[in-house]
Amino acid sequence: MKVLIVLTSHDELGDTGVKTGFWLEELAAPYYRFKEAGAQITLASPKGGQPPLDPKSNEPGFQTDDTRRFEADPEATEALANTVRLDSVSAGDFDAVFYPGGHGPLWDLAEDTVSARLIETTLRSGKPVGLVCHAPGVLRHTVNEDGTPLVAGRQVTGFANSEEEAVQLTDIVPFLVEDELTKLGGVYSKAGDWQPYVLKDGLLITGQNPASSAPAADALIELVGKGTV
């Protein structure tokens, strides 16, 4: 099994001067789920190289066994420091694609045509795509073959408006994930704030928040294991 993990290259919360990036737990937990399933993992980002880590995600209160393991893992940190450029990868080389969140993707990956084509091509090839927390916002410009929004009529979740309000970034982010998915015709639902919640609609897997990252990875592995690819 070959899995592509796509990370953000964006490191600022709008014009606030506050740093952002990807959320460490949302990379670390899936990374080890995929490793333990025997996957070969490739990390990619729009600019390549070291993607920006949201510093908040590495504060003591947000660290987990997986984040500590990742930071102490030379192979993992080396892979993270040397992500390949997203425009250099081919969907045909992978069995599944996974997008961790963090606020960064709302600025770059959500507007990235290479990312949109990757998601569309992967799904049309009968391979699963998983996105967690803010990453479902990356679906905003993806379309079906007939040009309709990819999420229209699909069961989806992602970072809830109430969760964005809790972290006091409602007026900073370029758009709210819950609102965007709903506007595009997605059948959005959620669990309680910060509770794990994963939806699977065909080959599209979405998770609500950081706590959903490991179960979203498990759902992706299950789809690959069922021979959908």
Side-chain angles (χ1 to χ4, degrees), residues 140-187:
R140 74 187 308 218
H141 294 307
T142 57
V143 295
N144 297 305
E145 289 186 82
D146 63 1
T148 56
L150 183 71
V151 302
R154 289 180 184 255
Q155 300 282 338
V156 289
T157 190
F159 205 57
N161 289 355
S162 53
E163 291 171 320
E164 201 69 81
E165 190 174 331
V167 297
Q168 300 182 340
L169 292 173
T170 301
D171 297 328
I172 304 298
V173 293
F175 62 92
L176 294 168
V177 175
E178 177 181 338
D179 286 355
E180 187 70 15
L181 293 173
T182 302
K183 184 179 86 174
L184 293 168
V187 184

